[in-house]
Amino acid sequence: MLAAVLRIGDSGDVEVLAWQRARDPDRGCWALPGGRLGDDEDVETSVLRQLAEKVDVREVAHVEQLGVFSEPGRVPGTRLIATAFLGLVPSDVDPAVPADTAWRTVSPPPAEGAPAPDVLPTPVRAPALACAAFDHGTIVAAARDRLRAKLSYTNLGFAIAPREFTISALRDLYVAALGHPVSATNLQRVLTRRALLEPTGAVAPPGPSGGRPAALFRFTDRTLRVTDAFAVLKPPGEHGRGPVP
Amino acid sequence: MLAAVLRIGDSGDVEVLAWQRARDPDRGCWALPGGRLGDDEDVETSVLRQLAEKVDVREVAHVEQLGVFSEPGRVPGTRLIATAFLGLVPSDVDPAVPADTAWRTVSPPPAEGAPAPDVLPTPVRAPALACAAFDHGTIVAAARDRLRAKLSYTNLGFAIAPREFTISALRDLYVAALGHPVSATNLQRVLTRRALLEPTGAVAPPGPSGGRPAALFRFTDRTLRVTDAFAVLKPPGEHGRGPVP
DNA sequence: TCGTGTTTTCGACTAGTAGTCGTAAACTGC
DNA sequence: GCAGTTTACGACTACTAGTCGAAAACACGA
């Protein structure tokens, strides 16, 4: 049971919640929070319980299974099988964490044209976390890739964004998570057209250097929703005007 | 370790490989193949090993993790945690299976406008498998939904289709897996434009009732590849002609 | 041999989606 | 007021995809 809890930091990069090991093996390196599965809980409640020791669970906006990491030699000593989770915390919450725990920046995904970040049998990946204990770097990379992939075809943005935000702020979050520029105009148009975003009516005060006050938006839904893909494969009668009878 | 191996049957519906329990509990009901994890293998090789007892592994075109099913009471008796897999077998292979094993038809997904079939923490779902043992009906439903979702934004069709096929045959496979009509013209255009499909040059002989012989196609790639989603979120410089310098 | 029916293929038309750009609006600070 | 900055919004354009119709290629029976 391991959790890779991601957050978009103020400096504009992805961060993961990790704690520094005080003992060998891998002393001084950073490990993901987790623990053993209890007798009367399933893995989902277990990971939330483990997480409660590190951060307030109510601050975690989304949790989902990443996959099982079971390579026999992944940790020294006795065999240990880890069910890894991806957790997301909105960028505006900064939970109090224990002394040995910190937000570590995650290195951006490798090159462009990277292969499918959605395949579960995880091959070797770029080291996403500097000085990661055991195979936790691989798990963090899988989490970062999963976030990146799902931002593109779901409303998962709700889990990394504050409840209300300006379009530019949201754009910055997407830029940090994706690692490449994003058009604010198109982001607003696409997300509002698909009814993932709606204006709150209020406006945000301008920054210190002035500028027109930006309108505030919110995600209409705060649970995961999948959107468009191949239009051909959607049930008929939802595009264009349909056939002329 | 459980595997939901799906296949599109000749009759045009989704089938799952299952074996009939001879002993209580759930005697006579259908269970998914699987077994315990060995000491020197990871879950992926383990599930392939388990599967080898039922079907020839070389016939399985794609395997991926579905998720962990860990509810404390999911099976009677001692606690058992299952890592579930989705396996796919092309529609043209009909492997020899043991006497207690058969392909059971999977009931189609519930209504249209169904919620995200991609969320891992699986809630209650429609009973996809009649007389399923334990929670295996839930697992089959998750597998069927995963297949349906991934057909829309990946080249996963390669795993349910023969190596070579006509567009109509492929259309029928998609119709069976998705549960709604699909346009053959658009399917061909979309899949070829995205370079997922390519013509082999050969043609298939016409059916018994005649008709123009259909051209044969194959998938260019037989490993999972993810395709388009939100165009906004793709790196710039890949659409249209780009900015005029 | 020649139509009839069937199935596939291909092109044309059309509509919707999204990338780009230019301009106006609203605010801060000097 | 004026300059500078940031956001908002509309216009133009290009590409993708849904629909339809006509032609091609075959089997079968008269």
Side-chain angles (χ1 to χ4, degrees):
Chain A
M1 218 72 37
L2 287 173
V5 180
L6 302 186
R7 195 187 66 152
I8 309 295
D10 297 328
S11 47
D13 38 27
V14 182
E15 298 172 342
V16 63
L17 193 68
W19 60 280
Q20 193 167 28
R21 289 180 59 83
R23 292 186 301 190
D24 279 328
D26 286 348
R27 181 209 304 251
C29 283
W30 295 85
L32 296 177
R36 302 192 72 86
L37 177 65
D39 282 339
D40 288 329
E41 57 184 4
D42 58 21
V43 286
E44 281 78 15
T45 61
S46 177
V47 74
L48 289 176
R49 176 177 60 78
Q50 321 272 0
L51 235 42
E53 302 166 6
K54 300 288 180 180
V55 295
D56 190 337
V57 180
R58 289 167 302 185
E59 293 166 328
V60 183
H62 177 74
V63 172
E64 71 176 41
Q65 279 190 30
L66 261 186
V68 174
F69 292 78
S70 59
E71 204 188 330
R74 57 174 291 271
V75 295
T78 61
R79 180 79 186 277
L80 196 58
I81 294 167
T83 303
F85 284 79
L86 161 68
L88 293 174
V89 170
S91 63
D92 60 335
V93 311
D94 192 8
V97 298
D100 63 347
T101 306
W103 291 97
R104 304 284 296 168
T105 83
V106 175
S107 60
E112 205 37 62
D118 212 55
V119 198
L120 267 182
T122 313
V124 191
R125 281 203 162 88
L129 179 58
C131 187
F134 314 129
D135 61 348
H136 293 194
T138 308
I139 298 176
V140 171
R144 174 246 284 150
D145 292 348
R146 175 72 68 89
L147 168 63
R148 191 159 82 113
K150 282 213 167 177
L151 280 181
S152 314
Y153 64 91
T154 70
N155 62 342
L156 194 53
F158 77 84
I160 60 172
R163 296 199 87 87
E164 300 192 347
F165 46 84
T166 68
I167 294 293
S168 336
L170 185 67
R171 190 256 306 267
D172 293 343
L173 294 176
Y174 275 79
V175 167
L178 297 174
H180 60 73
V182 172
S183 152
T185 300
N186 286 331
L187 187 64
Q188 171 177 0
R189 183 172 44 182
V190 169
L191 294 186
T192 53
R193 178 183 286 270
R194 302 199 180 183
L196 303 184
L197 235 54
E198 64 185 7
T200 68
V203 293
S209 57
R212 174 169 173 170
L216 286 174
F217 288 80
R218 75 167 76 91
F219 278 92
T220 55
D221 235 334
R222 294 187 69 79
T223 55
L224 192 60
R225 232 171 58 191
V226 179
T227 70
D228 269 358
F230 291 158
V232 224
L233 299 184
K234 289 198 301 184
E238 298 185 6
H239 341 269
R241 301 212 181 288
V244 180
Chain B
M1 219 72 37
L2 288 174
V5 180
L6 301 185
R7 194 186 68 151
I8 309 295
D10 297 327
S11 47
D13 37 28
V14 182
E15 298 171 343
V16 63
L17 193 68
W19 59 280
Q20 193 167 25
R21 290 182 58 82
R23 293 187 302 190
D24 278 330
D26 285 348
R27 180 208 307 250
C29 283
W30 295 85
L32 296 177
R36 303 192 72 85
L37 177 66
D39 282 339
D40 286 330
E41 55 184 6
D42 57 21
V43 285
E44 281 79 15
T45 62
S46 177
V47 75
L48 290 177
R49 176 178 61 77
Q50 320 273 0
L51 236 41
E53 303 166 5
K54 301 288 182 181
V55 295
D56 189 338
V57 180
R58 290 167 302 186
E59 293 167 327
V60 182
H62 177 74
V63 171
E64 70 176 43
Q65 279 191 31
L66 261 184
V68 174
F69 293 78
S70 60
E71 204 187 329
R74 59 174 288 272
V75 295
T78 61
R79 180 79 187 276
L80 196 57
I81 294 167
T83 303
F85 284 79
L86 162 67
L88 294 173
V89 171
S91 63
D92 60 334
V93 310
D94 191 9
V97 297
D100 63 347
T101 306
W103 292 97
R104 304 284 296 169
T105 83
V106 174
S107 59
E112 206 36 63
D118 214 53
V119 198
L120 266 183
T122 312
V124 191
R125 280 202 163 91
L129 179 58
C131 186
F134 313 129
D135 60 350
H136 293 194
T138 308
I139 297 176
V140 171
R144 172 246 285 151
D145 291 348
R146 174 73 68 91
L147 168 63
R148 191 159 82 112
K150 283 212 166 177
L151 281 182
S152 314
Y153 64 92
T154 69
N155 62 342
L156 194 53
F158 77 84
I160 60 172
R163 297 200 87 87
E164 302 193 346
F165 45 83
T166 67
I167 292 294
S168 336
L170 186 66
R171 189 257 305 266
D172 294 343
L173 294 177
Y174 275 78
V175 167
L178 297 173
H180 61 72
V182 172
S183 152
T185 300
N186 285 331
L187 186 64
Q188 171 176 1
R189 183 173 44 183
V190 169
L191 293 186
T192 53
R193 178 184 285 272
R194 301 197 180 183
L196 303 185
L197 235 53
E198 65 185 5
T200 68
V203 294
S209 58
R212 175 171 175 170
L216 286 175
F217 288 78
R218 75 167 75 91
F219 278 91
T220 55
D221 235 334
R222 294 187 69 80
T223 55
L224 193 60
R225 230 171 60 194
V226 179
T227 69
D228 270 358
F230 291 159
V232 225
L233 298 184
K234 289 197 301 185
E238 299 185 5
H239 340 269
R241 301 211 181 289
V244 181

